[in-house]
Amino acid sequence: MRIKFLFFGLVFFLIGLGIYLGFFFREVQKPYWFLAEGFIAFLLVYLSVFYQKIVKPLNTIGNGMELLREQDFSSRLSPVGQYEADRIVNIFNRMMEQLKNERLRMREQNYFLDLLIQASPMGVVILTFSEEINQMNQMAVKMLGVAPDAAIGRRMEGLESSLAAELAQIPNEETRVVRLNDANVYKCTRSHFIDCGFKHPFFLIERMTDEVRRVEKKAYEKVIRMIAHEVNNTTAGITSTLDTVEQTLASEEGMEDICEVMRVCVERCFSMSRFITRFADVVKIPEPTLAPVSLNEMASTCKRFMEGMCADHRIDLQLELAPGMKEVKMDASLFEQVLINIIKNAAESILSAGQASEPAGQIIVRTLAPATIDVSDNGPGISKEVEAKLFTPFFSTKPNGQGIGLVFIREVLSKHRCTFSLHTCADGRTHFRISFPDK
């Protein structure tokens, strides 16, 4: 634009000079006047040719630079009729065509990658270089349990999600297996990619709950069958021998103490069989027979069944029912065992803290719309270390625990397709919350 301005300035100057000479010097020295006017006319003709050969191509190239600056790759430059300039125009047009095709290809790739990320069965969370959440697919939203609007722009540790808290502790380029307090197991990987010279961290979250459960179940089924086979065969032979010896010695005088010892041994063998049978029952949980049942009625039934046991230990068992609760499909007998086990565990937790000696032990069974039941207690709570081991086979915090109660609960609730969690909240109360599926 500057060259064009100078060119037209020179043209106007020459035109003005010609007019000036034409009016004021045409009668003086006419040969020189004709010569001056002819020279000015020659300069104007030359400048017109100069404009076509130099200024116009430069102006065209300047327009091309504006198109590049505005990233308008669909426009093209027209030839100007000058060989060197037209070569530049052709090269520019080919470059614009390549840039247009590259932009289309990148858009197609980005669109495909977006579709792939959204359809991925793995959770994908992409962060900015400042560790804030920039993008997350639907599976990640489901796993984290937070809405996208509440997560975008926030750091991972700022989300109200137990999985997000675990992700925030994973160093870069490391993979961890995370087990949460809702019995779900995730394989979490943190890595990064380079974009515009900055590292953008991202997380890949793979749900391994079903695979881990199948492996665990296959393992403890095999162990339980082997133990049950050996114990039952051994105790059957021992009890049979002890019965025979007791019957033989019963007719002898002075053998009452020995017979009593034998009866105790027989009872102990039966107790051992019952102990192993409890483990076997976990393996043989039947498929639920689903029927519509009111959650309020189920909670009331279990509360009446357990309130005597709680009253004996001076534990206040309360019931809070939400009005208008809809019926849910469940196996009433199996779910009743689950709810009774949960209340029993809460009472035992309070007893382990010594709160039963005071009127401070409290258990609240609460129903929440549309289909949730929550059992909370004011026991000593669950530490983070224990939370990571909950619902694993044979793990128990009780001195004489067998580690099968929570496994039984997990298996039954999984067969009902329920979501559940067990953790101690900020208010100090431990909540076991169960939510039934919408359909």
Side-chain angles (χ1 to χ4, degrees), residues 306-373:
M306 295 298 294
E307 60 185 357
M309 174 263 196
C310 291
D312 292 340
H313 295 287
R314 303 183 64 189
I315 297 174
D316 182 21
L317 180 59
Q318 299 182 11
L319 185 64
E320 297 180 4
L321 302 178
M325 288 287 293
K326 67 178 183 179
E327 292 184 336
V328 296
K329 290 186 176 182
M330 68 168 72
D331 188 309
S333 60
L334 283 177
F335 192 79
E336 185 176 358
Q337 293 182 56
V338 166
L339 198 54
I340 289 174
N341 277 345
I342 294 173
I343 298 174
K344 179 174 175 290
N345 287 342
E348 291 175 349
S349 174
I350 294 173
L351 292 174
S352 67
Q355 292 177 242
S357 60
E358 307 173 6
Q362 183 187 67
I363 300 174
I364 301 177
V365 181
R366 181 185 292 111
T367 57
L368 305 168
T372 298
I373 187 165

Side-chain angles (χ1 to χ4, degrees), residues 261-274:
V261 170
M262 291 184 178
R263 283 192 292 271
V264 171
C265 292
V266 170
E267 182 59 33
R268 180 56 186 163
C269 289
F270 285 135
S271 297
M272 181 69 69
S273 297
R274 288 192 295 269

Side-chain angles (χ1 to χ4, degrees), residues 221-255:
E221 280 181 352
K222 183 176 180 180
V223 171
I224 289 174
R225 283 197 299 267
M226 291 175 59
I227 294 176
H229 176 76
E230 295 298 327
V231 170
N232 288 333
N233 286 347
T234 302
T235 54
I238 293 174
T239 52
S240 176
T241 302
L242 291 175
D243 283 338
T244 302
V245 174
E246 181 189 356
Q247 293 174 5
T248 302
L249 296 179
S251 59
E252 302 291 333
E253 294 183 1
M255 294 296 176

Side-chain angles (χ1 to χ4, degrees), residues 54-73:
I54 303 298
V55 178
K56 189 175 180 180
L58 289 177
N59 185 49
T60 301
I61 294 173
N63 292 334
M65 295 303 103
E66 288 295 319
L67 294 177
L68 280 178
R69 185 178 64 84
E70 296 175 1
Q71 297 185 5
D72 183 5
F73 302 145

Side-chain angles (χ1 to χ4, degrees), residues 54-269:
I54 303 298
V55 178
K56 189 175 180 180
L58 289 177
N59 185 49
T60 301
I61 294 173
N63 292 334
M65 295 303 103
E66 288 295 319
L67 294 177
L68 280 178
R69 185 178 64 84
E70 296 175 1
Q71 297 185 5
D72 183 5
F73 302 145
S74 60
S75 300
R76 300 291 181 270
L77 298 180
S78 300
V80 296
Q82 204 273 337
Y83 177 73
E84 289 78 7
D86 286 347
R87 287 181 60 190
I88 297 176
V89 168
N90 291 332
I91 293 173
F92 179 85
N93 288 339
R94 288 200 301 270
M95 181 184 69
M96 294 291 280
E97 184 68 24
Q98 291 176 355
L99 289 174
K100 178 184 176 182
N101 293 335
E102 185 67 18
R103 170 179 278 186
L104 290 175
R105 188 178 68 84
M106 292 297 295
R107 285 182 176 176
E108 290 174 355
Q109 285 185 349
N110 289 337
Y111 181 69
F112 173 75
L113 288 175
D114 285 339
L115 291 178
L116 185 62
I117 289 174
Q118 292 300 326
S120 173
M122 299 177 64
V124 181
V125 182
I126 302 175
L127 309 182
T128 64
F129 64 90
S130 58
E131 300 287 334
E132 295 176 347
I133 297 176
N134 181 51
Q135 183 181 353
M136 53 198 304
N137 65 353
Q138 292 299 318
M139 185 57 67
V141 171
K142 182 178 179 181
M143 291 176 175
L144 293 173
V146 293
D149 294 340
I152 302 299
R154 298 181 62 183
R155 296 176 69 88
M156 192 65 71
E157 58 267 24
L159 301 182
E160 295 182 0
S161 168
S162 54
L163 178 57
E166 295 291 340
L167 292 175
Q169 299 177 12
I170 300 178
N172 194 30
E173 303 298 337
E174 187 170 320
T175 299
R176 289 184 182 177
V177 176
V178 176
R179 186 185 291 266
L180 300 182
N181 52 25
D182 57 358
N184 283 318
V185 182
Y186 300 96
K187 181 182 179 181
C188 306
T189 301
R190 174 174 176 148
S191 188
H192 72 274
F193 61 90
I194 304 297
D195 182 34
C196 298
F198 294 99
K199 288 185 178 181
H200 289 259
F202 67 91
F203 292 98
L204 295 179
I205 312 169
E206 181 181 2
R207 191 172 186 268
M208 301 178 61
T209 306
D210 295 336
E211 291 81 357
V212 171
R213 284 180 182 174
R214 282 195 293 267
V215 172
E216 287 182 348
K217 188 173 182 180
K218 185 176 181 180
Y220 68 67
E221 280 181 352
K222 183 176 180 180
V223 171
I224 289 174
R225 283 197 299 267
M226 291 175 59
I227 294 176
H229 176 76
E230 295 298 327
V231 170
N232 288 333
N233 286 347
T234 302
T235 54
I238 293 174
T239 52
S240 176
T241 302
L242 291 175
D243 283 338
T244 302
V245 174
E246 181 189 356
Q247 293 174 5
T248 302
L249 296 179
S251 59
E252 302 291 333
E253 294 183 1
M255 294 296 176
E256 291 80 5
D257 293 340
I258 297 177
C259 290
E260 180 64 26
V261 170
M262 291 184 178
R263 283 192 292 271
V264 171
C265 292
V266 170
E267 182 59 33
R268 180 56 186 163
C269 289

